[in-house]
Amino acid sequence: MNFITLRDIRKGHPFGVSSPTDAGYVRIAKAVFDWLRCTPFCAERSEEELKRMAIKLTLYFEDMVSEIGLWHSFVRKHQQLYGKPLPFYHVEKNYTPDEPHIEDIQFLLWDSTLDDEYSDTLVNPENEALAYAARTVYTYFMELFEDTPINDDLYDFFHEARFTDNFYEVRQVLKWYFFDCYLTSGRFKDSTFDEALDYQMDLCRGNRQVAQSAVEASIAFRYQVGPLALKPQEWLAALLTVHGHADKAANVATIEAKELEPYVLEHYDRQTVTLRNVDDELMTVRRTEYFHVQTTLLKSPDTEGCVGSYARYNGEWYLNGMNSWGDIKRLIPEYKKDRDMQRNANFRDIAADPRSRLNKEKIFFFETTDAYQRFLKEELKMPKGSKAPLPEKTKNIILYIPSIEKGKLCTIMDCAEYIKHKNNPMYDKEKSKSCFLISDIEQVPGEFIRYAIANNLMPDFALNSNQGYARGRQLAQDNLDFLARTLRRQDY
């Protein structure tokens, strides 16, 4: 059953922008659904998967026809990062990001296979069945391209960008990037939201409505989304830049969103409330319909301040999520203690000693837990029991120290076989060829993956390719950082 509706198309627009052209794009999405269903690539996919693919491709087509700029912003950012317009695929020098291309469609189909975050398979981006499906849809799109009406409402929304005058409208667009944008929403969306909701439910004492509002406010600024693992404000800034709004792009890109923390009430009047954070920094927030605090509450002797989350946009502070007023000074010493402990932990003095191994290295390899524990004690001067013990008989241990100043340790188990390093006797070239280490989010932190890629520590890994190992290796190595971004997203 072909069950694509107007709501599906409008959901892919910020603020659910509706237009007279929506019905036409519903018809296009239904036709794409039918085309996909007839291709070998989609033979074993559910109707729900096909529906998502068809909507994704239709919104891409609307992007091209209406010059919305989403795809253009992706191509521009990819060019800046990697010196080429697209990952995986060679395109001609006259490639333009404002009209459909087979390679674009092939990539979007490939990207749509990543929506299931628990899948342990990865489709080769050069898969022949995938390429055939892309050619089929491309042919259909090009038949329509010149005659499909522009969505003027969506065109005006992004080209005029009047929403950037209002922080809360900007936040709404950023939430759309996370939840519903065809280019950036998808992988890890559900699990990220659920994890953030669990955290906020504790803070909001089980009030789901308040917790959900707080999560949505946080998600708009804190999580990396889309195939380049950028935060929503980075995506929006890139789009505004495409349309020539450099000043608006700069304002969006520099939004400062603070975590939930305690503030002391310093001063208030009829127009503003001034708060002081634990670092003695002042923050003045205008009293508006979005930040509506009763004067009787502020006058109360029991109101010492609030626990809240705020964001700074275009030189002004706004409430961004929840705030709870009352007796909060008792919270500040413990909060400051925990924060300062995190800030002050470091191995700088040890690393400064020329005799220390930390003076020259930030990655270490151990074949046994005994060797690992001995290093913690003798080199890092860490007291016994200060770090969680590893499971007995653990082997192939990597210890990575991403920042000497922050004193953070990344202990990675059972992965040393896949890391090629002059100090690693455990490297196994044959095993490393097929171990997709960069997608192992549970065991391997993103900061280590970035370090490994930057230092060419996975040089033999290859994607499965019908053209053989050499082509599979080239495809993987030429796009390794991009693969890490698009597979890990918020953990890149």
Side-chain angles (χ1 to χ4, degrees), residues 73-318:
S73 66
F74 165 64
V75 170
R76 177 177 287 194
K77 292 296 284 187
H78 192 278
Q79 181 77 43
Q80 291 171 354
L81 287 166
Y82 303 113
K84 56 184 180 179
L86 297 178
F88 311 128
Y89 311 114
H90 171 75
V91 295
E92 300 299 327
K93 288 185 178 180
N94 61 353
Y95 172 90
T96 170
D98 295 321
E99 61 183 52
H101 296 274
I102 294 173
E103 295 84 2
D104 303 351
I105 298 168
Q106 190 166 344
F107 170 79
L108 287 169
L109 284 171
W110 175 83
D111 185 64
S112 70
T113 67
L114 304 178
D115 280 354
D116 180 4
E117 62 185 274
Y118 302 108
S119 174
D120 57 359
T121 60
L122 182 69
V123 175
N124 187 304
E126 295 181 334
N127 179 288
E128 272 302 315
L130 174 64
Y132 175 78
R135 289 194 296 271
T136 301
V137 175
Y138 171 77
T139 301
Y140 173 62
F141 280 167
M142 292 312 292
E143 291 174 356
L144 304 175
F145 187 60
E146 295 297 333
D147 299 321
T148 301
I150 291 172
N151 185 332
D152 291 321
D153 299 288
L154 211 53
Y155 177 93
D156 292 344
F157 182 88
F158 282 115
H159 282 256
E160 296 175 5
R162 289 192 294 266
F163 65 89
T164 57
D165 295 335
N166 184 306
F167 167 77
Y168 293 101
E169 290 189 10
V170 169
R171 190 178 72 181
Q172 196 70 15
V173 174
L174 299 183
K175 285 164 58 178
W176 168 75
Y177 268 101
F178 181 90
F179 287 106
D180 296 307
C181 175
Y182 84 84
L183 177 63
T184 58
S185 181
R187 189 166 175 83
F188 301 118
K189 177 180 71 175
D190 293 337
S191 64
T192 297
F193 181 81
D194 290 343
E195 183 180 331
L197 183 60
D198 288 343
Y199 172 71
Q200 290 291 350
M201 285 286 280
D202 290 338
L203 294 176
C204 300
R205 300 179 182 178
N207 187 323
R208 186 176 181 87
Q209 185 176 357
V210 174
Q212 184 159 326
S213 176
V215 169
E216 291 176 358
S218 174
I219 268 174
F221 303 101
R222 301 204 176 284
Y223 292 91
Q224 293 160 259
V225 298
L228 290 174
L230 304 176
K231 291 182 178 179
Q233 61 261 44
E234 294 177 278
W235 283 111
L236 179 54
L239 178 60
L240 293 169
T241 300
V242 164
H243 294 318
H245 297 300
D247 291 344
K248 294 179 178 181
N251 288 338
V252 169
T254 54
I255 290 175
E256 178 188 355
K258 288 186 173 292
E259 294 278 9
L260 196 67
E261 60 180 282
Y263 295 88
V264 174
L265 176 61
E266 187 75 12
H267 170 77
Y268 69 89
D269 55 33
R270 294 178 63 183
Q271 284 79 37
T272 64
V273 174
T274 299
L275 304 170
R276 184 182 296 275
N277 70 9
V278 295
D279 293 319
D280 287 331
E281 298 168 333
L282 294 178
M283 176 175 73
T284 298
V285 188
R286 280 194 299 124
R287 298 172 72 173
T288 66
E289 59 179 311
Y290 302 104
F291 183 60
H292 183 64
V293 188
Q294 295 286 349
T295 299
T296 52
L297 175 64
L298 297 175
K299 282 183 176 180
S300 170
D302 296 327
T303 302
E304 298 176 334
C306 69
V307 175
S309 53
Y310 297 86
R312 185 181 179 90
Y313 175 62
N314 198 16
E316 189 166 345
W317 285 101
Y318 297 87

Side-chain angles (χ1 to χ4, degrees), residues 418-468:
Y418 315 118
I419 296 298
K420 187 175 183 179
H421 188 277
K422 59 184 175 63
N423 295 334
N424 181 18
M426 297 166 282
Y427 181 63
D428 189 315
K429 181 176 180 178
E430 288 305 311
K431 286 185 178 181
S432 73
K433 288 180 178 179
S434 59
C435 179
F436 212 5
L437 192 63
I438 63 173
S439 65
D440 192 343
I441 291 175
E442 291 187 3
Q443 275 191 282
V444 188
E447 50 210 333
F448 173 72
I449 289 296
R450 295 196 300 272
Y451 176 82
I453 292 172
N455 290 276
N456 195 30
L457 302 185
M458 297 179 285
D460 299 306
F461 169 72
L463 295 173
N464 289 326
S465 173
N466 290 335
Q467 301 178 49

Side-chain angles (χ1 to χ4, degrees), residues 33-85:
F33 178 94
D34 290 334
W35 283 113
L36 289 175
R37 188 163 51 178
C38 296
T39 66
F41 177 69
C42 297
E44 297 182 1
R45 301 189 186 278
S46 69
E47 288 206 338
E48 190 59 39
E49 288 177 287
L50 292 181
K51 175 183 175 180
R52 289 200 303 268
M53 288 180 176
I55 293 171
K56 188 183 190 82
L57 293 179
T58 301
L59 291 171
Y60 157 81
F61 184 60
E62 183 182 45
D63 184 357
M64 297 293 104
V65 170
S66 304
E67 299 180 9
I68 296 166
L70 288 163
W71 184 258
H72 194 150
S73 66
F74 165 64
V75 170
R76 177 177 287 194
K77 292 296 284 187
H78 192 278
Q79 181 77 43
Q80 291 171 354
L81 287 166
Y82 303 113
K84 56 184 180 179

